Amino acid sequence: MNFLFFNLLNDGGPTFMYPTLLMLLICIVLIVKVFLKGDLGGKTVSLIKHISLFALAWGFLGFFVGLIDAFDAISRATDINQGVLAGGLKIGLLSPSFGIVTFLVARLGIIALLFNKKD
């Protein structure tokens, strides 16, 4: 299972996948910190929101950069197999999918913090 996860990170493009993983871990650590210590000024929750949105945009940027590279390769090729094209698109969708997962985890954490908030 661990090898599959790291294979997906490498397949999706380490330039975009590993920073997204780092953003996911930062969001989780910040959510746990707020649960344990609180966030009186709301700075930490705001930071989690910004990091999660950045992770989402970063994932889609990875997709578009990969798509541009793929179209360059297709324009140079004389014969493209449908399986190769579909496989490339599948790999290209890993980065935005991981960005969406990071966004959703952070947002679910924020929802949990709001439910747990003491007035």
Side-chain angles (χ1 to χ4, degrees):
M1 177 66 182
N2 286 338
F3 294 118
L4 176 64
F5 178 70
F6 288 111
N7 286 341
L8 288 175
L9 286 177
N10 290 325
D11 287 346
T15 305
F16 291 95
M17 295 292 279
Y18 284 103
T20 306
L21 176 64
L22 181 64
M23 288 181 255
L24 174 63
L25 295 174
I26 289 170
C27 285
I28 291 171
V29 167
L30 290 175
I31 290 167
V32 170
K33 176 188 170 253
V34 172
F35 264 118
L36 296 177
K37 295 184 180 181
D39 187 24
L40 294 176
K43 282 184 176 180
T44 308
V45 171
S46 178
L47 183 61
I48 295 167
K49 289 178 183 178
H50 291 299
I51 291 172
S52 69
L53 278 172
F54 186 82
L56 183 64
W58 187 254
F60 279 102
L61 177 65
F63 174 67
F64 288 121
V65 168
L67 198 59
I68 290 168
D69 288 342
F71 285 147
D72 282 342
I74 289 170
S75 69
R76 288 189 303 265
T78 57
D79 186 28
I80 285 291
N81 184 350
Q82 292 173 343
V84 171
L85 183 61
L89 288 175
K90 182 186 91 171
I91 294 299
L93 288 172
L94 288 174
S95 181
S97 297
F98 195 41
I100 291 169
V101 167
T102 301
F103 177 79
L104 291 175
V105 167
R107 291 300 167 135
L108 285 173
I110 292 170
I111 290 169
L113 289 171
L114 290 175
F115 276 124
N116 192 40
K117 188 175 180 179
K118 297 172 179 86
D119 293 327

